[in-house]
Amino acid sequence: MPGGEARAADALAAATDSFSAVGIETPRLDAELLLAELAGTDRATLIVDRDLTLEPSVARAFSEAVRRRLRREPVAYILGSRGFRHIELLVDRRVLIPRPETEMLVELALEVGPTEVLEIGTGSGAIALAVADELPDSRVVATDVSDGALEVAIANARRLGLGERVEFRLGSLPEGSARFDLILANLPYVPDSDGLPPEVGQWEPEGALFGGPDGTDVIAEVLVGIGAAGIEAPVIGLEIGQGQGERVAAMLRASGWPETEVRLDLAGIDRVVVGRRSRPGVDA
Ligand code: GLN
């Protein structure tokens, strides 16, 4: 072919320009992430090696990835995976893409050091699998109301070799009363009227995002369900969104976790509410 193969630097510049033109927030980064993966290299090499050329098959695959991204499909769905803590998770449109701020719930698990964990609304399995990965003595029961999400989570558990310690169940809560050392949940908490970026609103599963008029309906329902089922745990950690800290903390206090704490994420937004109940007989 006259002119030889496409230069990586040119392909990146063109993709970055077209991403910018449609208003994608991180055009250069997205182009680099897509090309690095497809070219089987890393971003540093792409940036440093000005003369890097692309095999025709890579150039074609990159054009297709760029076309998908221009329709605002998230990079993680195009690549089919996303890193979370120390693990890599398969993701597709059946599950919410794991967010960095959700790692705060895994950090809570490390502080508590639980053996028996319940995760409600596991999606890709990110929280349950990261907890199992980082706490080798833990066992996790993880639920989801979406069977499509559970298929993804189960595939992730198998791939990561964590299937023996993570048990997935369809539904909001596991059947029957049970005691856990820790309950974790990243439930849908986006207020129904909130506008979302196209990557989220047009691509990610609605059922994993929206939580009623003020965003806290699903959290409230699940807390009622936990009480009604007789599920117990001394500590609970819930992911929440902007401005929901005090409201959800009050719900936790009313649901039997009298000590509450709201944790902020790196952007200073209410992100996790922790509820603790004293052990019966200790200082009841
Ligand atoms: N953090 C997600 C977002 O704002 C929402 C996740 C959720 O509702 N659990 O896009």
Side-chain angles (χ1 to χ4, degrees), residues 105 108 112 181-184 223 233-238 248-253 255-263 272-278:
L105 288 180
L108 174 66
V112 173
D181 302 308
L182 175 65
I183 298 173
L184 296 173
L223 290 176
V235 187
I236 184 167
L238 302 177
V248 176
M251 288 180 193
L252 285 186
R253 292 192 292 269
S255 308
W257 287 277
E259 296 159 41
T260 56
E261 174 200 347
V262 177
R263 297 184 179 184
V272 164
V273 182
V274 184
R276 295 173 200 268
R277 63 171 60 135
S278 315

Side-chain angles (χ1 to χ4, degrees), residues 203-271:
W203 290 91
E204 299 201 72
E206 235 174 78
L209 290 165
F210 294 104
D214 76 359
T216 58
D217 284 5
V218 180
I219 291 174
E221 275 164 36
V222 165
L223 290 176
V224 168
I226 289 173
I231 294 168
E232 291 195 30
V235 187
I236 184 167
L238 302 177
E239 184 170 321
I240 52 162
Q242 189 141 34
Q244 295 175 346
E246 246 335 289
R247 204 166 339 127
V248 176
M251 288 180 193
L252 285 186
R253 292 192 292 269
S255 308
W257 287 277
E259 296 159 41
T260 56
E261 174 200 347
V262 177
R263 297 184 179 184
L264 308 181
D265 66 16
L266 292 173
I269 293 171
D270 294 0
R271 190 56 67 190

Side-chain angles (χ1 to χ4, degrees), residues 96 99 101 186-190 196 200 204 208-210 239 271:
L96 194 75
R99 311 285 204 264
E101 55 270 25
N186 173 17
L187 297 165
Y189 56 72
V190 178
L196 294 170
V200 183
E204 299 201 72
L209 290 165
F210 294 104
E239 184 170 321
R271 190 56 67 190

Side-chain angles (χ1 to χ4, degrees), residues 2 7 15 24 57-58 62-64 98 101 104 106 110 115 146 157 162 164 193 208 217-218 232 236 241 247 258 283:
R7 279 178 72 237
I24 288 171
S57 62
V58 171
F62 184 57
S63 303
E64 172 56 21
E101 55 270 25
M104 289 173 70
V106 182
L110 297 184
T115 309
S146 154
L162 294 167
E164 303 242 307
S193 59
D217 284 5
V218 180
E232 291 195 30
I236 184 167
R247 204 166 339 127
D283 44 358

